[in-house]
Amino acid sequence: MANDFKKKTVSGFAYKMMERIGAQGVNFIVSIVLARILMPEEYGIISLVLVLITLLDVFVTYGFGNSLIANKNSDNVDFSTCFYFGIFLSIIVYTVVFLGAPVVANFYNIELLTPVLRVMGLRIPIAAVNSVQQAYVSKHMMFKKFFISTSIGTVLSGIIAIIMAYQGFGVWALVEQYLGNVVCDTVCLWIIVGWRPIRAFSFERLKKIYDYGWKILVVGLIDTGYNQLRSLVIAKKYTSSDLAYYNKGNQFPSLGMSVIEPTVNSVLFPALSQCSDNQEEMRGITRRMIMMSTYIVFPMLIGLMVVAKQLVIVLLTEKWLPCVIFLQIGCLAFMFRPLQFINNSVIKAAGESGLLLKLDVLKKTIGILLLLVSINYGVEGIAISLVITNVISTIINIAPNRRILNYGYAAQLIDIGKSGVLAVIMGIIVYSIGFLPINAFPLLVIQIIIGVGFYVGASYFAKNESFIYSLQIIKEFKQR
């Protein structure tokens, strides 16, 4: 039984990782095409729209799905109740979006925001259906089906968006990509997974779901709102070009995290929830995920930092060079993000959603104070404030798990140490190669090849535990 559960976890991690890599890869290609076509001033408008939509998505994609996963006894009545309530809530949210779009457009003095927000707002009721489907998939560890459905939706919507971009549709190409993606994904899940809501709605079940889920929802609102707050401040206080450079720079490090974080969370949370009464097993799973995640994240972000200039020139052209500094600062800001969200998952799985809410309020309060201090120091100062905030947040997140798992600061630092040292050495080597007097593209290729080669080779000779486990995952996945 335990061995079967382990196989499901490993398989789920692999499929979820592939799904995220595929989805974010296509999304990244689309964004690069748009960035090369549009000027930074125009792209800044698109960035603002995406910030607003990301905030609105939280109302239907956070909280209640996590409650269904955390409850070991969730049945079809629970899922159906959550499904119907989610649709009801999404209609209310969309009505607010539709009526409030002109107000937002007037506030930022951007007329185009009104129609774009109203069209993109249609994503909200569709996402309400999709969030319950995703909870069902995660609950039953059906990540292969999720991988198939997401791949179809991402590729199809991405192809259409690229065609629209080349045909001069501008911002509407991005609207199609985001809206079309969730539509295709939802339809595919409806067909492939086969889950259907039954004609049942229980206020008693809803209350239980709500009692747990509202705290996670508030955490999601605080977290997403805070993460997007910097973009909203930059859009209002500085120029749309500044916002474009800031967001485009952050897009590169956040791309990797948008693959890793959902992958780990989707697999780790249900896995921890099923063994929440066994501290040793929870600690073992958590330790493995921290080591694996940082083994991937550290070299990725350090590598991005040292090749930032060449990467921007090759992918975005020289008109985007001002975003290099934000790319490098963003890498520092995301460096310890795995420790944050993995330790968060432990607290959620332990059923302490109230504690999670309190910690998030504390972290975001500190972050907002640092943001207020940094506003008058330019966009660079705003970016640096996020680095400081994330370091403090990591320290806060680990604290409860000294009690829950007996897995505190020293133990976690030791577990990430070997990968961290290898990644720093790799970064120094790759940075030194950057002084070679050759063009950006061949230089970038040389840096990537040597960086990856050194890190993998050094991991092999050092018998790095995470490297060995990665090979085991690949082997077990191939055998399925």
Side-chain angles (χ1 to χ4, degrees):
M1 184 70 178
N3 189 49
D4 185 55
F5 177 70
K6 178 184 176 182
K7 286 184 178 180
K8 279 188 175 182
T9 303
V10 170
S11 176
F13 182 86
Y15 274 116
K16 187 63 181 178
M17 178 68 79
M18 289 195 301
E19 177 263 320
R20 285 290 84 197
I21 291 174
Q24 295 303 318
V26 173
N27 289 337
F28 183 70
I29 292 171
V30 173
S31 70
I32 292 298
V33 172
L34 289 173
R36 294 179 72 93
I37 295 173
L38 301 175
M39 294 299 294
E41 296 83 1
E42 298 172 306
Y43 202 89
I45 297 174
I46 297 174
S47 299
L48 178 57
V49 173
L50 293 179
V51 167
L52 297 171
I53 293 301
T54 300
L55 285 170
L56 296 171
D57 268 349
V58 174
F59 286 96
V60 295
T61 58
Y62 273 74
F64 304 114
N66 283 322
S67 182
L68 293 172
I69 297 171
N71 182 7
K72 295 180 181 180
N73 300 315
S74 293
D75 58 20
N76 217 5
V77 175
D78 294 295
F79 278 91
S80 298
T81 297
C82 196
F83 176 84
Y84 295 125
F85 179 74
I87 292 177
F88 171 74
L89 181 62
S90 69
I91 292 173
I92 295 176
V93 174
Y94 178 70
T95 301
V96 174
V97 171
F98 188 89
L99 297 176
V103 177
V104 177
N106 290 334
F107 180 77
Y108 286 100
N109 197 28
I110 302 174
E111 187 177 348
L112 184 61
L113 283 178
T114 297
V116 171
L117 277 173
R118 285 175 169 173
V119 174
M120 278 289 287
L122 294 172
R123 173 186 172 93
I124 296 170
I126 301 170
V129 176
N130 187 259
S131 65
V132 178
Q133 292 176 321
Q134 291 192 32
Y136 187 86
V137 168
S138 295
K139 180 74 175 178
H140 297 88
M141 307 288 279
M142 302 164 62
F143 294 104
K144 182 176 182 179
K145 294 182 178 181
F146 189 50
F147 164 70
I148 295 171
S149 64
T150 303
S151 299
I152 294 172
T154 304
V155 172
L156 183 60
S157 61
I159 290 173
I160 295 173
I162 291 175
I163 294 173
M164 289 179 66
Y166 275 113
Q167 292 297 319
F169 284 90
V171 64
W172 294 105
L174 194 59
V175 170
E176 183 284 325
Q177 198 265 334
Y178 274 81
L179 187 60
N181 195 346
V182 72
V183 170
C184 292
D185 188 22
T186 303
V187 172
C188 288
L189 278 177
W190 190 266
I191 296 171
I192 296 173
V193 175
W195 176 82
R196 302 289 185 273
I198 61 176
R199 294 182 179 180
F201 186 90
S202 170
F203 283 101
E204 183 180 350
R205 301 284 185 94
L206 179 61
K207 184 180 182 301
K208 291 181 180 179
I209 293 171
Y210 176 81
D211 285 344
Y212 179 91
W214 78 267
K215 299 167 188 175
I216 304 299
L217 173 60
V218 173
V219 169
L221 282 172
I222 293 173
D223 191 51
T224 305
Y226 172 74
N227 288 339
Q228 303 301 328
L229 184 59
R230 283 172 170 76
S231 294
L232 293 173
V233 169
I234 293 170
K236 187 63 180 175
K237 185 172 178 62
Y238 298 96
T239 68
S240 60
S241 294
D242 289 323
L243 176 60
Y245 294 135
Y246 175 80
N247 279 355
K248 184 54 67 178
N250 271 279
Q251 182 185 17
F252 287 90
S254 65
L255 174 67
M257 294 310 303
S258 64
V259 172
I260 294 169
E261 186 166 348
T263 299
V264 173
N265 283 338
S266 295
V267 177
L268 179 61
F269 180 46
L272 290 174
S273 296
Q274 293 187 39
C275 62
S276 57
D277 54 351
N278 187 328
Q279 185 191 69
E280 184 177 351
E281 189 172 358
M282 284 185 72
R283 183 171 58 247
I285 293 174
T286 303
R287 179 174 179 266
R288 180 67 66 190
M289 284 296 184
I290 284 178
M291 294 175 67
M292 286 294 299
S293 298
T294 53
Y295 178 75
I296 297 170
V297 168
F298 283 174
M300 177 184 71
L301 294 182
I302 291 175
L304 272 175
M305 285 179 63
V306 297
V307 303
K309 183 177 179 180
Q310 295 85 270
L311 186 68
V312 169
I313 292 174
V314 170
L315 294 182
L316 303 177
T317 72
E318 294 187 0
K319 69 182 180 182
W320 285 95
L321 277 176
C323 80
V324 169
I325 183 64
F326 300 114
L327 193 162
Q328 294 171 326
I329 296 174
C331 288
L332 289 174
F334 283 103
M335 194 73 70
F336 293 98
R337 180 65 185 168
L339 292 177
Q340 290 186 51
F341 64 74
I342 291 174
N343 280 282
N344 263 1
S345 289
V346 173
I347 300 171
K348 281 196 298 182
E352 301 193 26
S353 57
L355 173 61
L356 190 65
L357 175 58
K358 292 176 183 177
L359 293 180
D360 256 56
V361 170
L362 173 62
K363 290 183 294 183
K364 268 49 181 188
T365 299
I366 294 172
I368 290 172
L369 290 175
L370 288 171
L371 173 60
L372 292 174
V373 171
S374 68
I375 285 176
N376 293 322
Y377 292 92
V379 184
E380 291 86 353
I382 293 175
I384 292 172
S385 73
L386 182 59
V387 178
I388 300 172
T389 300
N390 279 352
V391 171
I392 296 174
S393 296
T394 300
I395 295 172
I396 292 173
N397 276 28
I398 294 174
N401 290 324
R402 292 180 297 174
R403 168 179 57 84
I404 297 174
L405 295 182
N406 192 26
Y407 186 44
Y409 299 111
Q412 294 195 26
L413 186 62
I414 291 172
D415 282 341
I416 67 174
K418 291 182 180 180
S419 297
V421 170
L422 286 180
V424 169
I425 296 173
M426 179 215 68
I428 294 172
I429 294 172
V430 173
Y431 179 75
S432 301
I433 295 171
F435 290 102
L436 292 175
I438 55 180
N439 292 332
F441 180 72
L443 178 59
L444 179 63
V445 173
I446 292 172
Q447 287 178 301
I448 292 174
I449 292 174
I450 292 179
V452 173
F454 171 82
Y455 191 72
V456 173
S459 298
Y460 174 79
F461 286 109
K463 293 181 170 39
N464 184 280
E465 187 176 344
S466 297
F467 173 75
I468 295 172
Y469 190 68
S470 298
L471 295 180
Q472 291 176 354
I473 290 178
I474 294 172
K475 182 179 179 180
E476 289 186 25
F477 181 72
K478 286 182 177 179
Q479 291 175 350
R480 292 183 65 84

